[in-house]
Amino acid sequence: QVQLVETGGGLVQPGGSLRLSCAASGSAFRINVMGWYRQTPGKERELVATISIGGSTNYADSMKGRFTISRDNAKNTVYLQMNNLKPEDTAVYYCSAKYQFSPAGSEYNSWGQGTQVTVSS
């Protein structure tokens, strides 16, 4: 099992910036993909961005150009730099990791507990 702990959420004014961090711990052979998703009350969880172990990234269209995902494989940590934040970015942001316990083993998925981001003046 891989455990994920997110930090960095909070209250920010429109146009401001925040940086989220998510540290993974536990015994995994390889963490293939790490990512960020977000959810608001009454809505389904949606993709923000993902990054592979090789550094390939994927963003939701509405986040492109404002959000940047990065990863430190040595620290098993993924970051999300959020710039020019808008009120509609207000949500609980969840970290996700897809990992394997062996090279040919099945892939598993873990979620963090979530961190609240509120964009308001």
Side-chain angles (χ1 to χ4, degrees):
Q1 183 79 8
V2 168
Q3 293 81 39
L4 304 172
V5 177
E6 302 111 331
T7 56
L11 173 65
V12 64
Q13 293 186 343
S17 298
L18 276 178
R19 189 191 194 208
L20 306 182
S21 299
C22 171
S25 62
S27 56
F29 168 73
R30 180 174 58 223
I31 301 177
N32 296 322
V33 180
M34 299 188 79
W36 292 95
Y37 294 74
R38 69 186 187 184
Q39 189 170 22
T40 55
K43 294 187 177 180
E44 291 188 357
R45 194 169 296 185
E46 65 174 352
L47 168 73
V48 176
T50 62
I51 184 167
S52 72
I53 193 170
S56 297
T57 58
N58 178 48
Y59 293 90
D61 288 342
S62 62
M63 282 58 142
K64 288 180 180 177
R66 298 191 300 124
F67 293 6
T68 302
I69 191 170
S70 60
R71 177 174 175 172
D72 185 334
N73 290 329
K75 296 181 178 179
N76 283 333
T77 300
V78 64
Y79 307 95
L80 184 69
Q81 177 67 43
M82 303 185 292
N83 298 327
N84 190 23
L85 283 160
K86 305 175 181 181
E88 51 264 40
D89 294 317
T90 296
V92 177
Y93 285 70
Y94 294 91
C95 177
S96 171
K98 295 183 178 180
Y99 55 95
Q100 294 172 281
F101 290 114
S102 63
S106 299
E107 191 172 66
Y108 298 87
N109 190 51
S110 284
W111 292 93
Q113 82 285 355
T115 185
Q116 177 71 46
V117 171
T118 302
V119 184
S120 176
S121 55

